[in-house]
Amino acid sequence: MTALAHSWYMTVRHIRALLRQPWWIAISLVQPIIWLLLFGALFRRIVELPGFETESYITFLTPGIVIMSAMFSGGWSGMGLLEDIDRGVVDRLLVTPMSRGPIMVGRLIQQALLSAIQSLILVGLALLLGADYPGGVGGVVILIVAGSLLSISF
C-alpha cells in the first residue's frame, strides 16, 4: 500500500474510535462551557467600562475559550498514544510493512476533527447566549481552523 492509503486507513481508524466514544467530546466540553457561562455572566457588565470595544462580554470571551479549549485538548491527545504504547498497539503497527508517517497523520486528523467539533459547539452556544461575530462566517471559519491547527501542533 502507498503512504496515502496507509494515512487514509489510520485516519478512518481514529475517526471510527471517535464515533464509538462520542461522550469524549461532551466530557472535554464541560470545562469550557462552564467558563463561558460562568465568566460570561460574572463579567457581563465589564463592557460598560470606557474603552471596552464590544457591547457583549460573550463576544469578547468566546474566541479565547475556543482557542484555550483547542490547546488543552491538543495537549491531552498524547495520552491516547501513551495508552496504545502500553497496550502494545504501536508495537504491532511498527512491525507491519507500513510507513511510520500515517500512524501519526491519522491521530493528527482525528485531533483536528475533534477540535473543530468542539469549536463549533462553543461558537453555537455563544451565539445562543447573544454573541455576534463581526467577521461573519469567514471569521468563525478562521477561528475554527486556527483552533484546529493549534490543537494538532500541541
Side-chain angles (χ1 to χ4, degrees), residues 126-144:
L127 280 173
L128 291 175
L129 293 173
D132 65 345
Y133 301 104
V137 175
V140 172
V141 169
I142 290 171
L143 174 66
I144 291 170

Side-chain angles (χ1 to χ4, degrees), residues 95-123:
V95 297
T96 63
M98 115 185 220
S99 175
R100 304 303 190 246
I103 295 172
M104 293 309 295
V105 170
R107 289 185 182 280
L108 293 176
I109 292 173
Q110 178 203 17
Q111 184 59 39
L113 182 63
L114 177 67
S115 178
I117 291 169
Q118 289 174 341
S119 298
L120 281 171
I121 292 170
L122 288 171
V123 166

Side-chain angles (χ1 to χ4, degrees), residues 16-34:
R16 275 191 304 183
L18 181 62
L19 291 175
R20 288 184 193 137
Q21 300 173 355
W23 54 268
W24 180 251
I25 295 172
I27 287 174
S28 61
L29 278 173
V30 169
Q31 188 176 18
I33 287 174
I34 289 173

Side-chain angles (χ1 to χ4, degrees), residues 20-144:
R20 288 184 193 137
Q21 300 173 355
W23 54 268
W24 180 251
I25 295 172
I27 287 174
S28 61
L29 278 173
V30 169
Q31 188 176 18
I33 287 174
I34 289 173
W35 285 338
L36 190 64
L37 296 175
L38 177 70
F39 291 126
L42 186 64
F43 294 118
R44 74 178 179 274
R45 297 197 54 185
I46 203 165
V47 297
E48 296 171 6
L49 292 173
F52 205 81
E53 304 250 339
T54 184
E55 297 175 7
S56 166
Y57 190 69
I58 296 290
T59 301
F60 173 77
L61 186 65
T62 302
I65 289 181
V66 167
I67 295 300
M68 184 182 60
S69 174
M71 285 176 49
F72 286 164
S73 75
W76 281 102
S77 68
M79 295 305 291
L81 181 60
L82 291 176
E83 288 176 12
D84 285 351
I85 290 171
D86 286 343
R87 292 181 186 154
V89 174
V90 174
D91 291 336
R92 285 180 270 164
L93 287 173
L94 291 176
V95 297
T96 63
M98 115 185 220
S99 175
R100 304 303 190 246
I103 295 172
M104 293 309 295
V105 170
R107 289 185 182 280
L108 293 176
I109 292 173
Q110 178 203 17
Q111 184 59 39
L113 182 63
L114 177 67
S115 178
I117 291 169
Q118 289 174 341
S119 298
L120 281 171
I121 292 170
L122 288 171
V123 166
L125 178 63
L127 280 173
L128 291 175
L129 293 173
D132 65 345
Y133 301 104
V137 175
V140 172
V141 169
I142 290 171
L143 174 66
I144 291 170

